[in-house]
Amino acid sequence: MRVVKERLSREQTSDLAGSISRLARTVKLRYRACARSRHASLCPMVSLDAIRTTLRTHHPHADTDAIARAYAFAEQAHAGQIRKNGDPYVTHTASTALLLAEWGMPPVMVAAGLLHDVPEDTRHTIADIRRAFGDEIGDIVEGETKLSKLYYLG
């Protein structure tokens, strides 16, 4: 079996970062609606296995080691952070990663989805993410972080 690793161009990275930013807003809205419903127990924490299984439906031979590391990194980075509804903060980033996997995004995007709030909400920096996960994932997370500071007037 031959594994092909392709590096994304800056333009592709920017497009993917924009997708993560839009997706994160969608996840927030869905999660708020779920948490407000009478069936909040139907909004469980997304597991690493669920993300891996979903990713493999679109990318059967995907190496999911980076996703496992990103999941653990995000859990550790957000340890002790709680959402308004009392759930662990990492619930949001795991839901983002699951939706990216459902959309058939490549593994680097799913890993970046897990990490997208780390630089904004924890002591970890983009440089920490680059050291741990490489420039490609670091570029996507950095792009999403910059996009989240922009306001759309349309």
Side-chain angles (χ1 to χ4, degrees):
M1 171 177 49
R2 193 175 128 217
V3 177
V4 177
K5 291 186 177 182
E6 62 181 70
R7 179 116 167 104
L8 300 175
S9 69
R10 288 276 181 199
E11 183 177 304
Q12 289 172 316
T13 299
S14 178
D15 290 346
L16 292 175
S19 294
I20 285 183
S21 186
R22 287 187 299 278
L23 178 64
R25 285 191 295 274
T26 301
V27 168
K28 283 178 188 175
L29 293 174
R30 284 187 188 177
Y31 194 82
R32 281 183 197 148
C34 185
R36 281 190 216 122
S37 77
R38 283 188 261 166
H39 306 289
S41 62
L42 298 177
C43 308
M45 174 66 182
V46 174
S47 71
L48 172 59
D49 287 339
I51 296 167
R52 283 176 152 170
T53 301
T54 304
L55 176 72
R56 286 192 177 126
T57 62
H58 298 283
H59 304 281
H61 304 292
D63 179 3
T64 59
D65 289 344
I67 292 166
R69 288 190 354 262
Y71 193 96
F73 191 94
E75 269 191 321
Q76 181 274 325
H78 292 293
Q81 293 179 340
I82 304 295
R83 299 183 64 78
K84 287 181 184 178
N85 68 354
D87 287 347
Y89 186 83
V90 76
T91 302
H92 164 71
T93 59
S95 296
T96 298
L98 181 63
L99 281 175
L100 287 166
E102 287 173 357
W103 290 355
M105 294 291 167
V108 294
M109 269 304 278
V110 176
L114 284 162
L115 300 167
H116 79 274
D117 277 342
V118 168
E120 294 174 332
D121 299 328
T122 74
R123 63 179 175 79
H124 296 285
T125 65
I126 295 290
D128 295 332
I129 291 172
R130 285 183 198 283
R131 274 191 296 279
F133 298 96
D135 288 336
E136 187 171 21
I137 291 173
D139 287 346
I140 296 168
V141 174
E142 181 178 31
E144 190 282 327
T145 301
K146 288 178 180 177
L147 286 172
S148 68
K149 292 178 172 78
L150 299 177
Y151 294 95
Y152 176 72
L153 301 173

